[in-house]
Amino acid sequence: MYTSGKYSSRGPALIPRMKTKHRIYYITLFSVVLLGLIATGMFQFWPHSIESTADWTLDKRSVHDAPLIRLPVSSPIPERGDLSCRMHTCFDVYRCGYNPKNRIKVYIYPLQRFVDELGVPISSTGLSREYNDLLSAISDSDFYTDDVTRACLFIPSIDVLNQNSLRIRETAQALAMLPRWDKGMNHLLFNMLPGGPPDYNTALDVPRDRALLAGGGFSTWTYRQGYDVSIPVYSPLSADVEQPEKQPGPRRYFILSSQTAIHREYRAELERLKEENGEALLLLDKCSNLSQGAASARKRCYKGQVYDYPQILQESSFCVVLRGARLGQAALSDVLQAGCVPVILADSYILPFSEVLDWKRASVVIPEEKLSEMYTILKSIPHRQVEEMQRQAHWFWEAYFSSMKAIGLTTLQIINDRIYPYAARTYEQWNNPPVVKWSSVNSPLFLPLIPPRAPGFTAVVLTYDRVESLFRVITEISKVPSLAKLLVVWNNQNKSPPEESLWPKIGVPLKVVRTKENKLSNRFFPYDEIETEAVLAIDDDIIMLTSDELQFGYEYFNYLYTYKMPGDIKNWVDAHMNCEDIAMNFLVANITGKAPIKVTPRKKFKCPECTAIDGLSLDQTHMVERSECINKFASVFGTMPLKVVEHRADPVLYKDDFPEKLKSFPNIGSL
């Protein structure tokens, strides 16, 4: 149409005037030729095979027009799924390659209708509206490519969102027939309702080889950390009902429970809480006096009184989200939209997008066994914090839950950040609402969370030449129950570490990292060998700490020290070989706005091997420089974040007269 209009507008200037009948003849001839060219082009570029480079949209090809593919009974079936898969073992990152935009390219297979040898479809519903919306959003995004040879990630047009509608074996056979399947490498499947009666597995039961799974009900047993993506269960109710945004603050009800068909034991416990706390808790259930259908899904009842759902959620400060037959619940999305703080009681549930979202900012997670204590726990949360959580909850829904588009593109962004970590979104970009002006100091309750890749903590020991003292420190630290790995940072470039046979024999992996320069900041570098969230940074001469004291308290700020330290503080530390501990305290205090927490009694520093030759602190200028660095750091930060503290945190029963075997940390203060 645009081409035809272009020639028409230029016609009078280029074509001499002619008789009307001749003009009509040529116009007709031109139109026929143009239509022929268009038809030829459409035939030339319309998809002829599954490897076609045509755009994926439901508008260009309806489900009914999609090619029919019959699955022989003998068609191969993928493996069940490798629980050990990680991005470095089951994903070919080299296929993604380098590109200036640091963005993965995603290819969507064209639509096909898979049936068995008898002509029965593999799915009872075909392509759902939700999956169509998801694929359409991806095809309209910057991630999409219609060139299969450029693709980093492949998404089948086989709808597995709802396992209830699938024939498990036949769906698996259809996946294996995809031309680029290759045991599922670099393929992504979206599933929101996994499992089925009676067990309701927490991951899709369709065998899928090495494919990544974006799942809506993962537990800690089925979730492959750093490989799969935990996604929300989409709620059509919260998407279809427009509600005016309600400002954070106190609401009519303190706690509201609106889920139906929850376990009778949970229902009984909620009813007991209702009896104890009266009008503060509203306990809703399915309406028994309404006919079944779409209308009844939008209603909830309590003793004959009918409430509109999900609108009623806006009338409560906290909303209960209990596990049902499945861990993932669409109710979570409804609650977030209402700006009601979700109280999640679903043990082992992997919260949606928890790889990047800090759920402590928007929810309260309570163990199922503590349901009876829920009211007391929630009452202890300050009002201001509740308001912040209400605001954050609604923003989470708006940014990541509100549509299939939001869910799909968030999933792709998470995978993109794994492949291009140097260009990944920051914690603040994922978690800070753009319209909210956060203060310069964050509450320690809302510190950035990096989901641990392994349990326990890593001890990082900085050493130079004190081998005997180093070995004693290693021996003592190895007694800590939560130690996962010990990393020795060898800062001496002129001398090699001891031979392997000379090192202490401990029960956890021990790795020695040799540095290129003798810098104090090497102790805070986020080494690849560190696979835990928590890190203990310690010198090779700290031998007066007991294993109980180490077990009792530790934190992780290495990444911030290495990459986010302001000004030239890190350079100053490295140049003077001093004050790295003060710099770290400045950093932590500036971020949290809190003073340090002392967790053990004061004890005298012990270092039998230290001498005036090898001890930095014994140099006469050492203490002078430490005073100088405090002034230097304060000027860089523009404030003095360090605070005087008189608080000390001790473990329960620390000095009480109880048998030692009843104490979790009996050896604190023993040296």
Side-chain angles (χ1 to χ4, degrees):
M1 294 296 293
Y2 175 79
T3 304
S4 177
K6 178 179 179 182
Y7 276 96
S8 297
S9 64
R10 295 179 61 186
L14 300 178
I15 303 176
R17 296 184 62 84
M18 60 185 71
K19 293 182 178 180
T20 302
K21 64 178 182 179
H22 291 158
R23 192 183 324 141
I24 294 175
Y25 170 80
Y26 282 112
I27 290 176
T28 303
L29 178 62
F30 175 77
S31 299
V32 170
V33 173
L34 181 61
L35 289 173
L37 290 172
I38 293 174
T40 301
M42 290 178 63
F43 180 81
Q44 179 71 25
F45 296 107
W46 189 263
H48 289 285
S49 72
I50 203 167
E51 294 277 352
S52 166
T53 59
D55 290 347
W56 189 102
T57 70
L58 197 58
D59 297 332
K60 291 189 177 181
R61 171 182 290 176
S62 71
V63 177
H64 301 291
D65 295 334
L68 189 68
I69 306 296
R70 290 188 181 274
L71 299 169
V73 176
S74 59
S75 295
I77 300 176
E79 294 294 328
R80 175 77 179 137
D82 189 349
L83 283 177
S84 66
C85 272
R86 297 298 182 267
M87 293 297 288
H88 63 281
T89 60
C90 295
F91 192 93
D92 183 7
V93 295
Y94 297 104
R95 177 183 288 276
C96 304
Y98 168 78
N99 63 77
K101 294 184 178 180
N102 298 312
R103 184 176 292 117
I104 60 174
K105 289 300 179 182
V106 181
Y107 177 81
I108 302 174
Y109 286 98
L111 271 175
Q112 291 181 315
R113 290 182 297 151
F114 290 93
V115 298
D116 62 16
E117 288 189 335
L118 300 177
V120 179
I122 66 173
S123 171
S124 60
T125 58
L127 190 72
S128 65
R129 184 187 72 175
E130 288 78 14
Y131 199 57
N132 175 49
D133 291 346
L134 176 79
L135 296 184
S136 296
I138 295 173
S139 68
D140 291 336
S141 73
D142 292 337
F143 291 109
Y144 179 70
T145 180
D146 59 5
D147 185 351
V148 69
T149 63
R150 296 180 57 211
C152 163
L153 193 65
F154 302 88
I155 299 180
S157 55
I158 301 171
D159 185 354
V160 295
L161 279 179
N162 184 352
Q163 185 176 313
N164 292 339
S165 65
L166 303 178
R167 299 171 65 191
I168 303 298
R169 176 187 174 88
E170 289 75 11
T171 302
Q173 289 176 320
L175 290 174
M177 287 190 68
L178 298 174
R180 299 273 175 162
W181 181 249
D182 189 23
K183 292 190 175 297
M185 289 280 287
N186 292 49
H187 280 67
L188 174 64
L189 305 178
F190 286 87
N191 168 253
M192 290 183 175
L193 298 179
D199 298 329
Y200 288 100
N201 188 18
T202 56
L204 180 67
D205 284 325
V206 175
R208 56 188 182 277
D209 282 330
R210 299 175 176 178
L212 289 85
L213 183 60
F218 281 120
S219 73
T220 53
W221 296 98
T222 56
Y223 179 62
R224 296 172 292 184
Q225 181 77 39
Y227 192 67
D228 294 324
V229 180
S230 182
I231 63 174
V233 179
Y234 176 71
S235 174
L237 284 178
S238 57
D240 294 344
V241 176
E242 292 188 8
Q243 300 187 60
E245 184 175 348
K246 192 160 187 175
Q247 293 301 313
R251 300 185 178 180
R252 180 179 179 184
Y253 304 104
F254 184 62
I255 303 174
L256 186 149
S257 173
S258 60
Q259 288 173 264
T260 62
I262 60 177
H263 196 279
R264 60 179 179 274
E265 292 184 5
Y266 295 142
R267 176 69 61 182
E269 191 62 52
L270 289 171
E271 290 175 349
R272 189 189 66 78
L273 285 171
K274 169 69 175 172
E275 291 177 1
E276 291 179 355
N277 301 289
E279 296 299 319
L281 192 151
L282 179 60
L283 181 57
L284 303 178
D285 202 351
K286 182 170 59 177
C287 298
S288 57
N289 56 346
L290 297 178
S291 58
Q292 297 299 315
S296 64
R298 298 181 181 276
K299 301 293 181 182
R300 295 290 188 271
C301 289
Y302 175 70
K303 291 186 176 181
Q305 186 172 354
V306 181
Y307 298 84
D308 292 328
Y309 182 90
Q311 291 88 337
I312 184 60
L313 298 174
Q314 285 194 322
E315 300 302 318
S316 183
S317 296
F318 294 96
C319 293
V320 179
V321 180
L322 271 164
R323 73 157 67 225
R326 294 182 172 91
L327 272 177
Q329 295 291 313
L332 177 59
S333 184
D334 298 336
V335 168
L336 293 174
Q337 185 201 22
C340 184
V341 180
V343 183
I344 302 169
L345 296 103
D347 293 353
S348 79
Y349 177 41
I350 303 296
L351 286 166
F353 303 135
S354 55
E355 183 172 338
V356 294
L357 300 188
D358 188 349
W359 279 96
K360 289 206 308 294
R361 295 175 63 161
S363 70
V364 179
V365 179
I366 298 177
E368 293 174 27
E369 65 177 13
K370 294 187 178 294
L371 175 58
S372 60
E373 304 173 32
M374 176 177 64
Y375 185 85
T376 304
I377 292 172
L378 299 181
K379 270 296 185 183
S380 67
I381 302 176
H383 295 300
R384 181 180 177 184
Q385 184 179 334
V386 173
E387 292 180 4
E388 292 176 352
M389 296 171 79
Q390 289 172 334
R391 184 181 295 107
Q392 189 77 8
H394 180 76
W395 183 74
F396 271 6
W397 177 84
E398 193 175 59
Y400 308 115
F401 285 67
S402 58
S403 65
M404 291 300 297
K405 176 180 179 180
I407 295 171
L409 298 187
T410 300
T411 301
L412 295 184
Q413 186 62 51
I414 289 173
I415 297 173
N416 194 95
D417 285 0
R418 296 173 184 169
I419 296 171
Y420 302 108
Y422 51 87
R425 299 182 68 187
T426 65
Y427 167 87
E428 290 77 15
Q429 289 173 320
W430 280 111
N431 290 280
N432 284 4
V435 296
V436 175
K437 302 298 183 183
W438 296 97
S439 61
S440 59
V441 173
N442 294 327
S443 166
L445 184 64
F446 295 155
L447 288 177
L449 287 184
I450 303 173
R453 288 169 283 171
F457 70 93
T458 300
V460 178
V461 185
L462 182 72
T463 188
Y464 186 81
D465 198 18
R466 292 193 289 249
V467 176
E468 181 181 346
S469 178
L470 168 66
F471 285 177
R472 290 183 62 185
V473 169
I474 291 175
T475 302
E476 289 301 318
I477 295 177
S478 68
K479 299 175 184 178
V480 182
S482 292
L483 180 67
K485 180 183 289 187
L486 204 150
L487 189 65
V488 174
V489 180
W490 190 265
N491 235 10
N492 191 337
Q493 289 75 44
N494 301 317
K495 182 178 180 180
S496 299
E499 296 180 5
E500 182 178 353
S501 60
L502 300 178
W503 290 79
K505 300 298 184 293
I506 60 177
V508 297
L510 190 155
K511 179 70 180 291
V512 179
V513 176
R514 301 192 66 175
T515 60
K516 295 181 179 180
E517 294 182 73
N518 180 20
K519 298 190 300 184
L520 289 180
S521 295
N522 289 336
R523 70 186 305 168
F524 295 131
F525 189 83
Y527 296 97
D528 291 339
E529 289 79 6
I530 299 174
E531 296 180 329
T532 57
E533 176 184 359
V535 175
L536 169 68
I538 192 169
D539 282 332
D540 59 2
D541 55 8
I542 306 299
I543 58 174
M544 75 289 193
L545 294 176
T546 67
S547 60
D548 278 352
E549 289 165 348
L550 295 176
Q551 177 73 11
F552 185 52
Y554 47 80
E555 281 293 347
Y556 185 24
F557 286 93
N558 290 17
Y559 183 88
L560 291 173
Y561 183 98
T562 302
Y563 295 109
K564 302 293 185 179
M565 180 72 79
D568 60 348
I569 289 180
K570 201 154 62 99
N571 294 334
W572 194 99
V573 168
D574 294 333
H576 291 76
M577 294 296 286
N578 202 347
C579 296
E580 83 283 5
D581 52 342
I582 296 176
M584 177 61 84
N585 276 280
F586 261 79
L587 178 70
V588 175
N590 191 67
I591 292 172
T592 64
K594 301 295 181 181
I597 299 178
K598 186 172 179 58
V599 295
T600 60
R602 180 178 181 178
K603 287 181 289 191
K604 186 177 180 181
F605 178 79
K606 300 177 181 179
C607 181
E609 197 179 347
C610 296
T611 67
I613 299 176
D614 58 7
L616 289 176
S617 61
L618 299 178
D619 188 278
Q620 293 183 356
T621 62
H622 183 78
M623 297 309 297
V624 176
E625 285 185 343
R626 290 178 72 79
S627 298
E628 181 185 343
C629 73
I630 290 178
N631 296 329
K632 167 72 174 178
F633 299 166
S635 66
V636 172
F637 277 97
T639 184
M640 169 51 75
L642 300 183
K643 298 181 179 180
V644 176
V645 60
E646 296 181 359
H647 173 73
R648 190 182 82 199
D650 290 321
V652 177
L653 307 181
Y654 160 53
K655 287 189 175 180
D656 291 347
D657 188 17
F658 278 82
E660 293 294 302
K661 64 181 180 179
L662 297 181
K663 298 182 179 182
S664 298
F665 307 100
N667 291 323
I668 284 185
S670 61
L671 293 180

